[in-house]
Amino acid sequence: SKEVLAAAGIPVPAGALARTLDEAKDIAARIHYPVVLKAQAASLTHKSDFGGVILNVADAAAFASGWKRLHDNIARALPELVLDGVLVENMGQRGAELIVGAKNDKDWGPLLLVGFGGVLAEALKDVRLLPPDLSVEAIVEELYRLKSAPLLRGFRGSPALDVRAAAEIVCRLGTLMLSNPAIKEVDINPVVVYPEGQGALALDALIVVE
């Protein structure tokens, strides 16, 4: 999913899929620590619920224990599951979390969704539904119509966020949906948005095709 997003111009963390511990160590050394480990399997859509995400692996000394902990967690929670591998990625910095999604509706065609995401996505339900062909400027305006928009502008001393960078991700997702009718659904959660001028990053993604 992230390879598809990266090809569409959507920024994702540096990283690669590893099938062995040695491969994973080589990837971590190449992209630099700290890293995050994420279990990968087609049927594993909520990997953090099963201990399939190990955050902030600080150095090579901690890597093997993090690798073992991930596999032990998955074996305990889902003993029948066979992993495709483990995604080794740069550990992203903290920022505001948005959810960005898309669906190819049988009646309406492609639709986009954007709102506040991460663990708050289901609780807040603060989202906007958008057509796939809006300009970046129009998407910025829609983001500022969210109920929680004051958080984007800077709230109680926190910096204003790079809303345009987030809007560019939404815009590129719209272009991807329009040019790829076989894509049924996309879920990018979270998109982490950094302070103004520092961009935004798609940390986790799922693409469903027909």
Side-chain angles (χ1 to χ4, degrees), residues 4 9 40 60 89-90 108 123 127 144 187 207 210:
V4 172
Q40 298 295 296
E89 289 185 330
N90 275 139
W108 296 93
V127 299
Y144 282 133
D187 181 17
I207 295 178
E210 300 222 4

Side-chain angles (χ1 to χ4, degrees), residues 46-124:
H46 297 288
K47 54 185 76 67
S48 60
D49 292 347
F50 303 101
V53 178
I54 306 296
L55 299 173
N56 206 26
V57 179
D59 51 36
F63 195 91
S65 63
W67 177 271
K68 182 178 186 301
R69 189 160 79 254
L70 180 146
H71 283 85
D72 288 348
N73 291 344
I74 295 297
R76 185 166 49 251
L78 301 166
E80 303 299 319
L81 182 69
V82 177
L83 294 180
D84 298 326
V86 174
L87 187 61
V88 183
E89 289 185 330
N90 275 139
M91 181 74 194
Q93 296 179 358
R94 297 180 68 85
E97 295 185 351
L98 299 181
I99 183 171
V100 176
K103 184 175 182 179
N104 206 338
D105 187 86
K106 62 184 179 63
D107 295 320
W108 296 93
L111 294 171
L112 305 180
L113 175 147
V114 63
F116 277 83
V119 296
L120 298 177
E122 295 182 9
L124 294 180

